[in-house]
Amino acid sequence: MSNIAVTTENTELTMLAITNQDILTDFVADKRSTKTKHEYAKDLKDFFKTITGDEPTPQRVSEFLHLDRFKAIALVLRYKQILVERGLKEATVNRRLSAIKSLVNYANKIGQCSYTLIDIKSEKVRPYRDTSGITPDVFKKMLAVPNRDTLMGKRDYALLRLLWDNALRRGEVSSLSIGDLDLDSRRLWILGKGRGSQKEAIAVSVQTIKALQEWLQARRETDINSPVFISLSSRAIGHRLTTTSIYRIVSAIALDAGITKQLSPHRIRHSSVTAALEATNGDVRRVQKLSRHSNLNTLMIYDDNRLSHQGEITDLLADLV
């Protein structure tokens, strides 16, 4: 009897600890990717600040998770409408809704929420409606901007070459460490989008390898755990370049090159993929090895935009009347 009493008491204490735990912190910590942790925390903070006017404290989170199902759905739908009224893109609205749904599902699994948000529908999104970018000749103008006699010029030139030659995402570039680079075999280990913690090897061009060598030799950095690309500003010198910093560098170089179109690292990725399709006469399977799109249909959108079949048919119709 005494053993049963002790067991019951321990169970009650365990349940009390679970009830009072910081579910939001545990939920975010359960995510593998640092970027995912940051985005979920930011999106959920916006939800609670918008709906309650308060930070997502353990008490506020618990109150939300213990709402009546219909009240919770009504609350999230109201938040969704607010996001739409803010003029946010469909993908951004869906990401924030996904964060809320994931939190609720997590709480449901551990017995801290009795409902789900399965009835909350996402906004319809057509991916990559605009895959336009710049031509190789225009990108050459960007490559000519960095002064390669300076440390910053060497860094920016290597950064541009890597973005173009390998169609990398800025997050993939930001996360690179020196140990991820094998100069002899011309290979680079990257943490690709949606790959979890598993890195994948990609081949690097001779031109990019040379640019990286010049940059790293000028830095005189030998620590393999050091970032490949670092800040050179006085306020953050030596720190890993953030995705925001990479965006700003690319935008500034584009302006210096006389490019009036707003250019970003992802726009360079679009440009590289489109140029690769052009160079291979639309061989989407070969180009998929470069872009690493999991869905081949995404590349078909690039190819359709490149060929502009709709424009051709429009011209044909115009000639008929």
Side-chain angles (χ1 to χ4, degrees), residues 22-34 36-38 40-41 44 103 106:
D22 188 344
I23 295 175
L24 178 57
T25 299
D26 291 346
F27 163 71
V28 173
D30 191 51
K31 305 303 173 186
R32 281 192 174 189
S33 166
T34 301
T36 302
K37 291 177 191 285
H38 174 74
Y40 269 71
L44 289 168
L103 171 65
Y106 173 80

Side-chain angles (χ1 to χ4, degrees), residues 72-140:
I73 291 175
L75 198 65
V76 176
L77 285 175
R78 180 151 62 101
Y79 175 65
K80 178 182 178 181
Q81 186 58 40
I82 291 172
L83 296 180
V84 173
E85 290 172 356
R86 286 181 188 171
L88 297 181
K89 293 180 179 179
E90 292 89 346
T92 302
V93 173
N94 290 344
R95 192 194 72 216
R96 294 191 178 177
L97 291 177
S98 177
I100 303 167
K101 289 180 181 180
S102 295
L103 171 65
V104 168
N105 287 340
Y106 173 80
N108 183 271
K109 287 178 182 178
I110 62 173
Q112 294 304 302
C113 182
S114 61
Y115 63 85
T116 67
L117 298 174
I118 192 172
D119 293 324
I120 303 290
K121 302 302 180 184
S122 299
E123 294 286 282
K124 290 186 178 180
V125 180
R126 183 185 173 191
Y128 299 110
R129 285 173 290 185
D130 180 12
T131 59
S132 62
I134 56 176
T135 64
D137 285 339
V138 174
F139 188 73
K140 286 179 182 178

Side-chain angles (χ1 to χ4, degrees), residues 33 35 128 159 162-164 166-178 180 188-196 198-200 202 227-229 240-243 246 265-266 269 289-294:
S33 166
K35 181 181 178 182
Y128 299 110
L159 177 65
L162 195 55
L163 287 171
W164 174 270
N166 288 92
L168 294 185
R169 302 173 178 90
R170 54 177 166 160
E172 294 166 342
V173 174
S174 174
S175 64
L176 290 175
S177 296
I178 293 176
D180 296 324
L188 188 64
W189 292 88
I190 64 169
L191 192 59
K193 180 181 178 181
R195 301 299 198 277
Q198 297 298 314
K199 292 187 176 182
E200 56 184 313
I202 60 172
V228 170
F229 295 105
R240 184 182 296 274
L241 271 188
T242 64
T243 55
I246 294 173
H266 208 72
R269 175 173 162 81
K289 301 300 182 183
L290 169 79
S291 68
R292 291 166 289 111
H293 284 112
S294 57

Side-chain angles (χ1 to χ4, degrees), residues 59-73:
Q59 180 181 348
R60 288 293 189 195
V61 174
S62 180
E63 288 172 357
F64 168 66
L65 294 173
H66 287 87
L67 284 175
D68 171 80
R69 172 174 172 265
F70 295 103
K71 288 182 179 179
I73 291 175

Side-chain angles (χ1 to χ4, degrees), residues 167-295:
L168 294 185
R169 302 173 178 90
R170 54 177 166 160
E172 294 166 342
V173 174
S174 174
S175 64
L176 290 175
S177 296
I178 293 176
D180 296 324
L181 180 61
D182 187 341
L183 296 174
D184 293 331
S185 63
R186 291 199 291 118
R187 296 180 78 79
L188 188 64
W189 292 88
I190 64 169
L191 192 59
K193 180 181 178 181
R195 301 299 198 277
S197 60
Q198 297 298 314
K199 292 187 176 182
E200 56 184 313
I202 60 172
V204 185
S205 70
V206 173
Q207 295 91 327
T208 298
I209 285 292
K210 183 178 178 181
L212 287 168
Q213 283 178 319
E214 289 181 357
W215 155 238
L216 294 176
Q217 287 172 0
R219 268 179 63 191
R220 298 179 180 177
E221 177 61 69
T222 57
D223 183 1
I224 62 172
N225 295 314
S226 179
V228 170
F229 295 105
I230 59 171
S231 172
L232 297 176
S233 68
S234 56
R235 290 178 298 176
I237 190 166
H239 290 193
R240 184 182 296 274
L241 271 188
T242 64
T243 55
T244 301
S245 296
I246 294 173
Y247 181 95
R248 289 172 179 166
I249 289 170
V250 168
S251 296
I253 292 174
L255 286 175
D256 288 343
I259 301 171
T260 56
K261 183 174 186 175
Q262 180 63 40
L263 206 65
S264 65
H266 208 72
R267 189 67 71 183
I268 291 179
R269 175 173 162 81
H270 285 328
S271 305
S272 298
V273 173
T274 300
L277 287 168
E278 191 71 36
T280 61
N281 196 27
D283 191 335
V284 292
R285 291 202 173 275
R286 286 176 62 196
V287 175
Q288 188 181 28
K289 301 300 182 183
L290 169 79
S291 68
R292 291 166 289 111
H293 284 112
S294 57
N295 190 344

